Amino acid sequence: MRIHYYLGWFNNLFPENLGRVLQEDITDRKSLAMISSNPSIFEDDGATERSWLNQAGIMFDEYHLINYRVQKEDAQSIIQNASVIFLLGGNILNQNSFLMEYELSDSIKDSNAVVMGASAGAINMSAKFLCSKNFGDEVKMSSVYDGIGLDNFSILSHFDLENNMALVQSELSQLSEEIDIYASNKDCAVRVKGDKIDVFGNVFLISGSKIQKLDETL
């Protein structure tokens, strides 16, 4: 059964109930494959994201960081053998380009691993997403990009929604006519397990230009 976690950002640790659900979902702990969002910056090693898992008591026999130090063929092999694939937070478009250059999207989609993404990583897991300078993205014009497409919706992750609700609604209105958008701030998660979608924290659904807060189900 496919399991995907679209995470915001956690300033401290995974909250206890989210950690407990992750414990239950991540039963195979042989190998963690982390995909950098700044593959040229080797110091970006996923230490923060890894610390969340460590604190939740989720340890792996092997840890792999995929960046430009790893050859393309080796990266694909690491993905194919991973128990959990974690797309790290950071730069959305750098990670998006890296996924295309290394042809990792199909390997991720074909994998039986639990797939997780934090912030930028969560956005890149989705089917489509909007990059806008109004969201703090380093782009001159707002544009829609294709993500991996693990699930047929869009994600806006780790954005200050509560203070920018009108902006978010206007920016995402057009895309929301085409595809559902799950928008969340930090300390949030959207979990897809099989055909069921669960939410943790303050998560909003934008669909058909309308926005509504979802009830927590995790």
Side-chain angles (χ1 to χ4, degrees):
M1 182 184 294
R2 62 185 182 142
I3 302 175
H4 306 146
Y5 278 86
Y6 300 80
L7 306 173
W9 195 258
F10 298 86
N11 288 335
N12 297 308
L13 311 169
F14 285 140
E16 188 177 335
N17 48 346
L18 179 59
R20 186 176 64 251
V21 176
L22 281 161
Q23 280 266 17
E24 294 168 0
D25 283 343
I26 300 174
T27 53
D28 180 358
R29 301 182 185 178
K30 293 186 186 71
S31 171
L32 173 66
M34 298 177 289
I35 302 174
S36 177
S37 69
N38 292 297
S40 300
I41 303 173
F42 301 144
E43 295 77 21
D44 280 12
D45 59 0
T48 299
E49 292 93 329
R50 186 170 161 174
S51 74
W52 301 337
L53 293 167
N54 289 346
Q55 290 289 341
I58 302 170
M59 317 286 192
F60 296 86
D61 297 335
E62 298 177 4
Y63 292 85
H64 300 275
L65 176 65
I66 298 174
N67 57 23
Y68 281 126
R69 278 183 169 157
V70 178
Q71 296 296 315
K72 179 176 170 180
E73 294 75 15
D74 293 336
Q76 292 177 353
S77 177
I78 289 167
I79 292 293
Q80 288 161 9
N81 293 310
S83 311
V84 173
I85 299 166
F86 203 149
L87 287 89
L88 303 178
N91 190 301
I92 304 166
L93 294 182
N94 280 356
Q95 189 176 60
N96 189 267
S97 297
F98 183 60
L99 289 166
M100 287 192 289
E101 182 183 346
Y102 267 47
E103 298 178 7
L104 296 179
S105 293
D106 285 344
S107 298
I108 295 169
K109 287 170 87 168
D110 292 341
S111 172
N112 292 320
V114 174
V115 184
M116 308 172 65
S119 193
I123 292 167
N124 272 312
M125 284 166 58
S126 63
K128 295 182 178 183
F129 59 89
L130 178 77
C131 271
S132 166
K133 62 185 178 189
N134 292 325
F135 291 159
D137 300 321
E138 294 178 8
V139 292
K140 291 181 180 177
M141 292 177 55
S142 295
S143 299
V144 174
Y145 294 82
D146 289 328
I148 296 170
L150 292 176
D151 298 287
N152 191 34
F153 54 69
S154 181
I155 287 282
L156 173 65
S157 176
H158 186 205
F159 186 72
D160 184 11
L161 286 171
E162 287 80 358
N163 295 314
N164 295 281
M165 202 63 81
L167 167 69
V168 167
Q169 196 163 0
S170 67
E171 285 282 314
L172 295 176
S173 178
Q174 185 174 344
L175 182 59
S176 78
E177 295 289 342
E178 180 185 340
I179 191 169
D180 284 349
I181 303 167
Y182 289 89
S184 69
N185 205 334
K186 57 192 177 199
D187 299 327
C188 298
V190 174
R191 178 183 72 161
V192 178
K193 188 170 185 177
D195 296 324
K196 190 170 187 290
I197 297 176
D198 286 299
V199 299
F200 172 85
N202 293 324
V203 179
F204 295 79
L205 174 64
I206 308 170
S207 182
S209 298
K210 296 183 171 60
I211 188 166
Q212 65 174 16
K213 188 174 186 300
L214 299 174
D215 294 331
E216 280 193 88
T217 57
L218 277 183

